[in-house]
Amino acid sequence: MELAYVCEWEKRPKSTHCPSIPLVCSWSCRNLVAFTTDLKNDDDDKDVSHMIHIIDTEHPWDVYSINSGHSEVISCLEWDQSGSRLLSADGDGQIRCWAMSEHLVNSWDSVLSSSLDGDPIVALSWLHNGVKLALHVEMSGSTNFGEKFSRVKFSPSLTLFGGKPMEGWLAVTVSGLVTVSLLKPGGALLTASESLCRLRGRVALADIAFTGGGNIVVAATDGSSSSPIQFYKVVVSVVSEKCRIDTELLPSLFLRCTTDPLRREKYPTVTHLKFLTRENSEQVLLCASNHSGSIVECWSLRKEGLPVNNIFQHRSPVVGEKQPTILKWRILTTTSDLERVSAVALPKLPISISNTDLKVASDTKFCPGLGLALAFHDGSIQILHRLSLHTMGIFYGSSSALAGHRPGDESAMKRQRTGGPALHFKALQFSWTSLALAGVDNHGKLHMLRVSPSMGQVLEMNTTLRHLLFLLEYCMVTGYDWWDVLLHVQPSMVHNLVEKLHEEYMRQNQALQQVLATRILAVKASLCKLSTATAARACDFHAKLLLIAISSTLKSLLRPHVLNTPDKSPGDRLSEICAKNTDTDIDKVMINLKTEEFVLDGPPLQSLQQLIQWVGDFVLYLLANLPNQGSMVRPGFGFMRDGASLGMLREMLVMIRIWGLLKPGCLPTFTAMSDNQDSMQLLFRLLTKLWLCSRDDSPPQEPDESLIDECCLLPSQLLVPSMDWLPVNDGIIVKLQGKHPLRLQFGKASSLPGVGSTTPLEVFTRIPGSQKMDNLRCVHMGVCPTEESKACTRCGCVTMLRSPNKTNAMKQWEQRWIKNCLCGGLWRRISPTLT
């Protein structure tokens, strides 16, 4: 484990973050981290604000702090499965649901709430939506994504008509109540509460898990290690428009340390109670502590045969009769005496733990999803195997790492301990691929740690690449963010990872390729940004995302001329005819098309002119730069051998040519050197020649000399525009290639230099007085934009927050990207100066 960065608070003159308050942290599948601190006004000790802070891990300094409105200390934070909504609960029984305002990660509002006045919440969870995947390490070498990541049969906690999962949340209170709030389709909240059992008692700690049959299991303890750990089955249903909760007592257990005569009184308090995974109610982790130490136990629920009395053993057995069985908790393993545990983090990666999968994981040293993290009061963190509890990795404290001490420097550790209270983590969370840990220390600082896929074991490069590739594929299939995987990618790995990812993608069936088409481009672009040698390719992948989006939008405008539509849509017929017709004359290709399908009203065409202009400029840029594509990879190089993309551009030129006959104002404008120059005809002819060299149904060929000569003459015939490629992302991932941790400050944008000392390509440089570009609408915003803007957290794409367009066609284009960027990244509001 290595520290990647630390983000700390600016010292404030009249307020401090209370170090004594329990802190909570939660990490979403979209790489948003939420954590709490309590802000105390030095002038008034009673004036405490209970704050929730939300960051995206790529821009940790851009924190969004919410004065939550909770009247007591926040005890729980829980993200939903989509990573777009957050639950918070406090010590007064208040539960609030937070959602993004205008789909911005740095703007949140409280949209729903429920309350059990005066009854503190000790456990909180969203209801399960029935989606569960299993990641099979044994099948990591398979060519089929369906074999690597299989869908597990799992029922939602509650379903609506037609089997659709019903949304809502469930909480457990100190007094032993379980409360459920259901979100009805109309937006109303349906709430009910029920006692966990008839004899209600104090619940100091609780956790919630789900079963494949749609039931909920709650584990609870009163905090005393001599008391039993109780388990309850909770069934939620809706009867006559009212929420109903049924509970049932399940087998309980006593901690092993309390039955050991030597340790019976040593660890009096249960400090942590966690199910090992959210979807596995049959394995539980328990931690008992005293003022200076802790012990951890792992238990498993097993079905065992019930012994039959001798009286009944001699009777003749009935055909088909089975021995009666009962469920019983059995201890799997326990640790030796440990330092006092301050926080526990459990893995979210749904790795299969079958014997064959565990053996392959052990042989290949694949560790993600197999380790749980324990943070100790001395500032250290240990990763333990989730089944055997043996140590897999150790982190010796972020304060020593920041000071430049070696991990094994014991004297440094002693100096740190004697210098004052040790910095230690009060909240800890794994990322969704278990390759990173986020921790909040007792001063409210956020620490980001890399967790090696092999836990520091030396691997061959091919094995390391295979592990990272496996996790990138998992993120691609699930839609989870892959930022934490990029933490472990070195610049020298980028080219091989991109090639191997493409090979695996091409082995999938056509339907799956179509689903993942844009997601793989986004993954490739993220990888290519990590190395200066491949940064130009990242531009190509982003351009291809925009090209695919514009192509599908323009084709969607086409309508069949007659109502009894044939099997193929006008867009499909256009693609088929353009693929078969290799003529270099655009007008001859048009003859084979039913031009009545292209008849549109003027306003939609005119409003989309900026997108049409981008297509024309992009074709001109590609052709004009064909002679310049030499040993140094420049933006546009990836399109020179991409027959599918060149064919897509060719189709769009044909569409635009036909629309230009109906509405000349929608045509792209080119600055020609002669008055009689047919720019569209010229570009189509050269593009067709280049496309013929790289068609999928023929072996690739080098462009002939005549084509290159004609492309050399293009700048003397047409004014070649300067393409405004996406800016080099201002995120932190490209600055984490070194081994030294970065120190950042909340609220202050990072001004650290980028990776490498090489001069960036000229296309990335921005002249201070240059025009700023809206990368989605393809329009200029001026040198000093005054409009509010938003930027993608992943690729840095910038667009205006408010739409300047009035026409429906352009509004439909903008609505496609209201929640996510082209690359699938989330939006964050940026100030005009950052634009």
Side-chain angles (χ1 to χ4, degrees), residues 497-651:
L497 270 177
V498 170
E499 294 304 314
K500 288 179 183 293
L501 191 64
H502 182 74
E503 288 172 14
E504 292 297 322
Y505 168 78
M506 294 305 293
R507 288 173 180 160
Q508 308 311 307
N509 61 58
Q510 200 65 36
L512 187 56
Q513 283 188 31
Q514 197 170 352
V515 170
L516 302 178
T518 55
R519 209 172 281 166
I520 189 174
L521 290 174
V523 175
K524 288 178 179 178
S526 299
L527 287 169
C528 287
K529 282 189 175 179
L530 300 179
S531 168
T532 51
T534 54
R537 294 187 66 188
C539 293
D540 290 350
F541 293 128
H542 283 300
K544 190 168 181 180
L545 283 169
L546 184 55
L547 177 64
I548 292 171
I550 293 176
S551 174
S552 62
T553 298
L554 296 185
K555 283 183 179 179
S556 69
L557 297 175
L558 305 179
R559 293 289 180 269
H561 182 57
V562 289
L563 290 177
N564 54 338
T565 56
D567 293 338
K568 290 181 180 175
S569 66
D572 293 336
R573 276 202 301 278
L574 171 67
S575 301
E576 187 179 335
I577 290 169
C578 287
K580 288 179 180 177
N581 195 326
T582 59
D583 206 305
T584 57
D585 189 331
I586 192 170
D587 295 324
K588 289 182 180 178
V589 177
M590 283 168 49
I591 293 171
N592 298 309
L593 292 168
K594 295 179 181 178
T595 51
E596 60 269 15
E597 294 179 341
F598 293 80
V599 176
L600 297 175
D601 297 330
L605 289 177
Q606 191 62 52
S607 65
L608 294 171
Q609 199 277 333
Q610 61 232 43
L611 302 182
I612 293 171
Q613 182 68 47
W614 183 88
V615 174
D617 288 346
F618 188 66
V619 172
L620 178 53
Y621 176 88
L622 284 183
L623 294 170
N625 278 276
L626 177 60
N628 300 330
Q629 296 293 354
S631 57
M632 187 168 122
V633 176
R634 302 169 64 85
F637 177 80
F639 286 89
M640 301 307 174
R641 298 285 182 275
D642 188 352
S645 297
L646 294 175
M648 204 182 296
L649 286 167
R650 195 165 168 266
E651 294 163 18

Side-chain angles (χ1 to χ4, degrees), residues 45-188:
D45 286 344
K46 294 183 179 179
D47 183 13
V48 178
S49 300
H50 306 288
M51 308 295 293
I52 299 174
H53 311 284
I54 300 174
I55 61 152
D56 76 278
T57 53
E58 180 70 340
H59 306 85
W61 55 86
D62 188 14
V63 63
Y64 185 73
S65 298
I66 309 166
N67 191 340
S68 65
H70 283 291
S71 57
E72 293 291 336
V73 174
I74 298 170
S75 55
C76 303
L77 285 178
E78 280 292 321
W79 289 100
D80 72 346
Q81 287 285 84
S82 68
S84 58
R85 288 178 300 180
L86 179 70
L87 288 177
S88 62
D90 68 11
D92 192 39
Q94 303 287 328
I95 302 174
R96 291 176 181 265
C97 177
W98 304 87
M100 292 185 201
S101 171
E102 299 182 288
H103 307 287
L104 301 169
V105 298
N106 49 3
S107 183
W108 294 79
D109 290 325
S110 175
V111 291
L112 290 165
S113 64
S114 63
S115 175
L116 285 170
D117 291 338
D119 203 353
I121 307 294
V122 293
L124 180 68
S125 176
W126 290 89
L127 297 181
H128 204 285
N129 62 2
V131 177
K132 183 186 177 187
L133 281 182
L135 185 141
H136 300 281
V137 184
E138 180 194 5
M139 306 303 295
S140 60
S142 170
T143 57
N144 187 347
F145 285 172
E147 293 177 354
K148 295 180 183 181
F149 319 110
S150 66
R151 179 78 180 261
V152 179
K153 189 176 180 182
F154 210 86
S155 297
S157 304
L158 191 62
T159 56
L160 295 165
F161 179 76
K164 182 183 177 182
M166 192 169 190
E167 294 184 316
W169 59 80
L170 176 137
V172 180
T173 70
V174 162
S175 68
L177 275 181
V178 57
T179 177
V180 174
S181 298
L182 303 176
L183 295 172
K184 296 176 74 175

Side-chain angles (χ1 to χ4, degrees), residues 479-490:
Y480 296 160
D481 201 288
W482 49 86
W483 180 87
D484 47 335
V485 183
L486 301 182
L487 282 174
H488 302 270
V489 178
Q490 295 302 314

Side-chain angles (χ1 to χ4, degrees), residues 164-241:
K164 182 183 177 182
M166 192 169 190
E167 294 184 316
W169 59 80
L170 176 137
V172 180
T173 70
V174 162
S175 68
L177 275 181
V178 57
T179 177
V180 174
S181 298
L182 303 176
L183 295 172
K184 296 176 74 175
L189 207 59
L190 202 62
T191 304
S193 301
E194 185 62 59
S195 177
L196 278 172
C197 60
R198 290 181 182 178
L199 295 174
R200 281 172 64 183
R202 178 175 180 270
V203 176
L205 294 172
D207 198 23
I208 300 164
F210 302 89
T211 68
N215 296 326
I216 303 163
V217 177
V218 173
T221 174
D222 63 4
S224 170
S225 60
S226 58
S227 301
I229 311 296
Q230 301 278 12
F231 295 86
Y232 307 91
K233 182 172 83 172
V234 178
V235 180
V236 182
S237 57
V238 176
V239 180
S240 303
E241 293 295 312

Side-chain angles (χ1 to χ4, degrees), residues 62 104 106 730 787-792 796-799 801 828-835:
D62 188 14
L104 301 169
N106 49 3
D730 62 345
E787 288 287 327
E788 274 192 303
S789 299
K790 57 185 180 181
C792 174
C797 172
V798 174
T799 187
L801 193 57
R828 66 187 185 103
R829 188 195 305 267
I830 57 173
S831 63
T833 54
L834 289 176
T835 310

Side-chain angles (χ1 to χ4, degrees), residues 271-305:
T271 52
H272 297 89
L273 163 62
K274 299 276 186 185
F275 287 107
L276 276 182
T277 64
R278 186 169 172 261
E279 284 108 359
N280 185 357
S281 61
E282 298 176 356
Q283 287 184 332
V284 68
L285 188 83
L286 301 163
C287 175
S289 306
N290 57 28
H291 66 281
S292 61
S294 298
I295 190 169
V296 175
E297 298 178 1
C298 186
W299 290 73
S300 176
L301 185 65
R302 294 178 182 174
K303 192 177 286 187
E304 295 184 358

